[in-house]
Amino acid sequence: MISTKTLRSLAVGAVMTVAAAAAHALPTFTVNPNSNGLSTQGSTFTADAMNGVSSARISYTGNGSTFTYTGVGYIDFTAFSLNDTGISAVITRANFDYGIYATFTQNFTCGSFLAPGVSCSVSSITLNLWADPGNDNIYNKATVSSNASVTSVGGQVLMGTVNQVFAGAAGIDALGGAFQNINTNFALTAAGQLFFTSPDPFYQFAFSAFNNTSQGLTCNGNTNPATGGAANGCAGSFTAIAINNESGITDFNNIPEPASLAIFGAGLLGLAGLRRRKS
């Protein structure tokens, strides 16, 4: 009979093996920046991640006894990278001839009212990945009273969609910074298949890790330190949070077999946090 201790050791070993393998080399993908009329000066390149900054407004949607929240925002992907090294915009033309961005709405369930030290699970997400020909959109950062949004200029190209969460954790850490690690599905559109040319078929799983310091948070709570408040309002009772200048990465992989999905997801959640701290 296998002992409980042995089972624990096997589980820990499996997670460490997955994380170590992923840390050794993230799955790569190939991009054609000259597709969809986005550029004429780029060159086909290989990358393993997209780097960006995010803004979102998180608002309380519970009823006093439930702790649910909704987040609305965007990710502005400013660069592609390979092996933690940025790829020159001379090659990618990203954030120059065209922009790559995502708009999203997601829902969270927390153990209590959001506050420093409180973590939440991501229960659902709807995300669209877009290309902006001309790179001339306007990115409107979140405030405590208005959602983050993108004012599009001209026609936009829908590249991919996300509509399912496999694992996700988010919240405010003990020091007052925001964090999110989320594993989702990912599906390219026909236009996206012209841009992300390999592998074919493309990866079905997306991994994102984003973090923000306490200086990038504003809440509609107590702003008076003399009465236990905080300068950014993220103290006491607050129902809205504006998260700005959150930075991180998104990378891709194929969905593993169902039996190994939980272990695989746990390993990559840990890896995402480690990789973000390293960068």
Side-chain angles (χ1 to χ4, degrees):
M1 178 181 294
I2 299 177
S3 67
T4 301
K5 181 178 180 181
T6 301
L7 286 173
R8 288 175 179 170
S9 298
L10 288 172
V12 171
V15 171
M16 292 179 65
T17 299
V18 171
H24 177 68
L26 288 171
T28 61
F29 52 89
T30 304
V31 171
N32 175 13
N34 297 332
S35 64
N36 299 294
L38 299 178
S39 177
T40 60
Q41 303 298 317
S43 302
T44 298
F45 63 91
T46 298
D48 61 15
M50 301 193 302
N51 305 73
V53 294
S54 177
S55 176
R57 177 177 180 264
I58 312 299
S59 57
Y60 178 62
T61 56
N63 59 14
S65 59
T66 59
F67 310 109
T68 55
Y69 292 80
T70 295
V72 177
Y74 65 76
I75 304 170
D76 179 13
F77 290 106
T78 55
F80 292 87
S81 59
L82 179 65
N83 298 326
D84 291 322
T85 300
I87 302 172
S88 171
V90 173
I91 296 172
T92 71
R93 309 303 289 182
N95 211 33
F96 188 70
D97 292 345
Y98 63 94
I100 296 289
Y101 68 99
T103 54
F104 62 83
T105 298
Q106 52 188 345
N107 295 306
F108 308 88
T109 300
C110 308
S112 64
F113 288 109
L114 261 181
V118 173
S119 295
C120 311
S121 61
V122 184
S123 55
S124 67
I125 186 170
T126 300
L127 179 147
N128 289 327
L129 180 67
W130 301 91
D132 167 29
N135 191 39
D136 49 6
N137 285 349
I138 299 171
Y139 295 89
N140 309 296
K141 290 187 175 182
T143 69
V144 293
S145 58
S146 61
N147 291 331
S149 64
V150 179
T151 303
S152 60
V153 178
Q156 308 293 290
V157 182
L158 182 62
M159 310 288 275
T161 59
V162 167
N163 57 22
Q164 186 175 4
V165 175
F166 291 102
I172 303 177
D173 63 33
L175 297 179
F179 68 91
Q180 174 167 270
N181 290 330
I182 184 170
N183 301 346
T184 69
N185 68 335
F186 182 72
L188 289 177
T189 63
Q193 292 171 1
L194 297 175
F195 185 79
F196 295 96
T197 58
S198 73
D200 183 14
F202 198 72
Y203 303 114
Q204 302 173 66
F205 219 31
F207 305 85
S208 296
F210 283 79
N211 290 273
N212 200 117
T213 69
S214 58
Q215 294 187 91
L217 271 65
T218 306
C219 307
N220 62 352
N222 184 359
T223 58
N224 185 358
T227 58
N232 62 1
C234 297
S237 176
F238 53 87
T239 58
I241 309 166
I243 302 174
N244 289 306
N245 300 320
E246 196 173 40
S247 60
I249 67 166
T250 294
D251 52 50
F252 306 97
N253 208 325
N254 286 316
I255 297 178
E257 293 300 321
S260 61
L261 179 59
I263 293 175
F264 188 77
L268 282 170
L269 276 171
L271 171 65
L274 288 171
R275 189 165 186 230
R276 174 67 195 125
R277 288 194 292 272
K278 178 182 177 182
S279 62

